[in-house]
Amino acid sequence: MIRVEMSLPEDLQRLYASAMQCRTCFGPSSNLTRPIIDLPQPRLVGSRYFSTSPRLLVVMLNPGAGTDTHVRDNRRSVELLRQFKDGQATLQQVFELQRSQMSAWGKTPGRFVTFYTRATGKALDQLAFANLALCATGKNQYPSWMLRECFKSHTRAIFSILGPDFVLLSGSNTH
């Protein structure tokens, strides 16, 4: 497979870097707890997304919290997210790590990638993904106030930067 490099928009990199500092939903008045992957998680923008027509953005509810079955991958993710937060890694590096791990995502490994590429007829590198909530929670709880706050503070701007022609809302709670 030939890999096509892309340059991510600077405003997308800045937005995700800014979101890495957010702790709004985990304050003292919140009953939400941090999971294993305890930082906001940007979601993959395929290397050919911006040159693909039509552009398709897949919107999901939340990122994974991380499980004990994927300890090594979780550690690598947290380490790289912390480096990105501290300005020592790029958003492209975060996406490259995610892409290498996506085949193991979900309850049935391999289903995530296969589901979205078959359903859309597009290669993974032609798709962009985003979550309504950028952070996972310890008990997989996503109250409506959290989703509204994250959308208002971060996700709406991600949609604007990505400029999709179509948006696929994945899951009934995302609707």
Side-chain angles (χ1 to χ4, degrees):
M1 176 192 312
I2 297 172
R3 181 158 182 211
V4 177
E5 291 295 325
M6 72 161 195
S7 177
L8 290 170
E10 285 295 320
D11 44 357
L12 183 64
Q13 295 181 76
R14 279 192 302 274
L15 185 126
Y16 272 125
S18 172
M20 298 305 286
Q21 311 305 320
C22 184
R23 300 289 176 262
T24 302
C25 298
F26 299 94
S29 63
S30 172
N31 64 343
L32 299 176
T33 58
R34 290 274 186 193
I36 294 169
I37 300 177
D38 62 350
L39 290 164
Q41 298 178 55
R43 279 295 168 246
L44 179 73
V45 175
S47 61
R48 297 185 304 171
Y49 172 77
F50 288 104
S51 63
T52 298
S53 182
R55 286 191 225 165
L56 179 63
L57 171 62
V58 178
V59 179
M60 300 169 291
L61 184 64
N62 59 286
T67 64
D68 293 336
T69 58
H70 298 286
V71 174
R72 190 174 124 237
D73 284 350
N74 292 334
R75 282 189 189 136
R76 287 176 54 205
S77 294
V78 170
E79 180 182 321
L80 187 58
L81 288 170
R82 287 195 175 124
Q83 290 172 351
F84 176 61
K85 177 183 176 204
D86 295 338
Q88 299 170 351
T90 66
L91 184 58
Q92 186 63 43
Q93 289 172 303
V94 172
F95 289 162
E96 287 170 7
L97 179 62
Q98 275 182 15
R99 192 174 195 310
S100 75
Q101 295 176 342
M102 287 175 108
S103 63
W105 286 6
K107 293 178 184 171
T108 306
R111 184 173 183 268
F112 181 92
V113 172
T114 302
F115 178 80
Y116 290 109
T117 56
R118 283 189 182 159
T120 64
K122 294 193 178 285
L124 189 60
D125 288 337
Q126 295 176 301
L127 298 170
F129 295 85
N131 288 315
L132 290 180
L134 298 187
C135 293
T137 65
K139 295 179 183 172
N140 211 27
Q141 299 172 323
Y142 298 91
S144 57
W145 66 263
M146 177 192 192
L147 298 174
R148 278 191 308 273
E149 180 62 35
C150 198
F151 185 81
K152 181 182 77 174
S153 298
H154 310 293
T155 314
R156 177 178 24 207
I158 293 167
F159 289 7
S160 178
I161 294 166
L162 293 176
D165 296 306
F166 296 97
V167 175
L168 174 62
L169 299 176
S170 183
S172 59
N173 290 335
T174 306
H175 293 241

